[in-house]
Amino acid sequence: MDVREFDFDLPPELIAQEPAPRRGAARLLHLNRRTGAVVHGSISDLPLALREGDVVVVNNTRVFPARLLGRRVPSGGAVECLLIGREAPDNDRAAEGSRSVPVSAGMAGAQDWQALMHPGQKLRPGARVVFEGSCTLHGEVLEQRFYGRRVIRLAREDGGSVDDAIEAIGHMPLPPYIKRDDHPADRERYQTVFARERGSVAAPTAGLHFTPELNAALTARGIDMIEITLHVGYGTFQPVRVDRVEDHKIEPEPFTISEAAAAAINRARDDGRRIIAVGTTTTRTLEAACGPDGGIVAGSGTTNLFIFPGFSFRVVQGLLTNFHLPHSSLLMLVCAFGGLAPVRAAYREAIEHGYRFYSYGDAMLVT
């Protein structure tokens, strides 16, 4: 399948740069995947768009402030570092050409991370950086990898928690199509109301539309809500760099489904009730955790499941999602569920009606 099948033209002014003035104010486009019919409304219409007895499954991952801004040592040049995943510790690893610096000397509590760093051409193994704020993180580049990635070791001189330092001085990792610096308010708005389990470098954006009031309305409608966890990593948003869809690979991301969550989803399935996934991350997790008999298997693991047209869904019967980037694996998943032609037509209609796109944009329900 040609990646160009997933192209579309989007006016730049429809790329949402800010969240809606209040959480829960987004518009909702409801696509019937069988007929192609589209209904326009707002996210507050979601309870009536679903059925009594439906089960809504959400991702309760929490985004951490994974973007670090600092300077090179000793030159002082600006450095930007996006942490994209913890690296397994390797105490014997040495940076080629590295000078003796506190980080590589083994500060207590040091952590190794995979990262995207700028300016990459100046940050070769052995390069030293520092990130300062209410506390200070020292870093040393240990390895240079494909597509500009680095492995960086982070530590604090005072031996304190690196995780606490990242929380204190890091910035929310807003996507690059949001052409502004992050605001303090993004620490709350780029986080869902379900966010409990720290570990994501991007928000499961379909969940951003939910509020306590909407959750209560869903419950009053007789709709169950269940939480699972998938920590959104670089695999979710990595660019598709191939021409054939089938050649794209997604990096593994960790997930957890509790015994209680699995049992509730399986009961609903046995009763013939619909499973409505909130977001592509939830969809991938549920389909990856589907056992031979079609039931959800509880536990923790990783998934690199790539869903594109031709995929046979065994669990998910409804999908709430945002509007996604052209050529992205997320758009491919939505087209796999809703059908390539119906989703493309719905996107054209969304553009004609001025819907806001991407992470801080409006919502789409496919049933």
Side-chain angles (χ1 to χ4, degrees):
M1 195 170 200
D2 196 319
V3 171
R4 289 174 294 184
E5 295 279 353
F6 303 92
D7 193 16
F8 63 91
D9 293 322
L10 180 69
E13 62 270 19
L14 295 185
I15 301 174
Q17 299 297 307
E18 302 281 351
R22 59 179 178 81
R23 194 187 289 270
R27 298 168 70 187
L28 176 67
L29 183 152
H30 185 183
L31 169 66
N32 184 316
R33 61 181 174 147
R34 294 167 182 82
T35 67
V38 165
V39 175
H40 300 281
S42 68
I43 195 67
S44 62
D45 299 325
L46 182 62
L48 293 179
L50 299 180
R51 302 173 187 163
E52 181 180 352
D54 283 346
V55 173
V56 170
V57 186
V58 301
N59 185 357
N60 67 4
T61 189
R62 184 172 185 82
V63 183
F64 70 98
R67 184 168 168 253
L68 300 174
L69 303 178
R71 57 183 173 83
R72 301 200 332 259
V73 178
S75 71
V79 167
E80 182 172 344
C81 175
L82 176 64
L83 304 175
I84 59 175
R86 284 287 296 275
E87 185 81 355
D90 183 354
N91 296 326
D92 297 325
R93 175 166 41 202
E96 183 179 351
S98 170
R99 292 170 288 179
S100 178
V101 294
V103 173
S104 61
M107 280 184 183
Q111 294 180 0
D112 293 352
W113 285 83
Q114 289 191 49
L116 299 175
M117 299 186 71
H118 179 79
Q121 70 275 15
K122 296 183 179 179
L123 295 169
R124 298 184 176 90
R128 295 178 295 164
V129 295
V130 64
F131 307 102
E132 297 170 307
S134 57
C135 55
T136 300
L137 274 175
H138 293 270
E140 180 184 8
V141 177
L142 301 182
E143 292 182 20
Q144 184 172 339
R145 294 184 176 173
F146 54 90
Y147 297 131
R149 297 195 197 187
R150 303 290 187 274
V151 175
I152 183 171
R153 180 163 293 166
L154 297 174
R156 293 173 58 167
E157 283 182 324
D158 61 7
S161 164
V162 171
D163 286 339
D164 288 349
I166 293 169
E167 286 290 335
I169 67 176
H171 295 255
M172 291 303 278
L174 299 180
Y177 49 75
I178 295 181
K179 305 296 185 183
R180 63 170 174 82
D181 293 333
D182 62 311
H183 305 321
D186 290 312
R187 287 215 170 204
E188 185 263 335
R189 292 303 302 272
Y190 195 61
Q191 205 79 265
T192 74
V193 295
F194 310 106
R196 303 187 221 298
E197 304 295 331
R198 180 183 186 272
S200 282
V201 300
T205 54
L208 296 177
H209 303 295
F210 286 76
T211 64
E213 294 76 17
L214 179 58
N215 297 346
L218 289 165
T219 301
R221 170 81 165 147
I223 295 167
D224 292 334
M225 300 190 70
I226 296 172
E227 297 182 10
I228 63 173
T229 306
L230 180 132
H231 291 313
V232 185
Y234 188 61
T236 290
F237 58 87
Q238 70 190 97
V240 176
R241 296 186 173 95
V242 296
D243 296 325
R244 285 199 335 147
V245 170
E246 295 86 347
D247 294 335
H248 181 62
K249 305 297 180 186
I250 290 182
E251 296 183 13
E253 296 168 312
F255 71 87
T256 298
I257 300 177
S258 69
E259 294 280 356
I265 295 168
N266 290 334
R267 279 197 303 272
R269 176 178 171 273
D270 292 343
D271 293 342
R273 293 182 284 145
R274 296 189 305 178
I275 309 301
I276 311 297
V278 176
T280 59
T281 60
T282 300
T283 301
R284 291 176 56 237
T285 305
L286 292 175
E287 294 295 334
C290 181
D293 64 351
I296 294 295
V297 179
S300 297
T302 62
T303 180
N304 62 351
L305 179 63
F306 175 31
I307 297 176
F308 56 89
F311 182 84
S312 179
F313 289 85
R314 303 178 65 195
V315 180
V316 174
Q317 296 158 294
L319 170 63
L320 181 74
T321 187
N322 280 23
F323 294 94
H324 301 293
L325 287 164
H327 303 153
S328 65
S329 64
L330 308 181
L331 176 57
M332 294 170 188
L333 183 153
V334 177
C335 290
F337 185 76
L340 180 59
V343 171
R344 285 178 63 94
Y347 267 52
R348 287 193 296 271
E349 187 158 342
I351 291 168
E352 291 169 2
H353 284 75
Y355 277 71
R356 287 155 42 91
F357 273 62
Y358 308 158
S359 292
Y360 271 152
D362 292 313
M364 179 180 184
L365 174 65
V366 186
T367 59

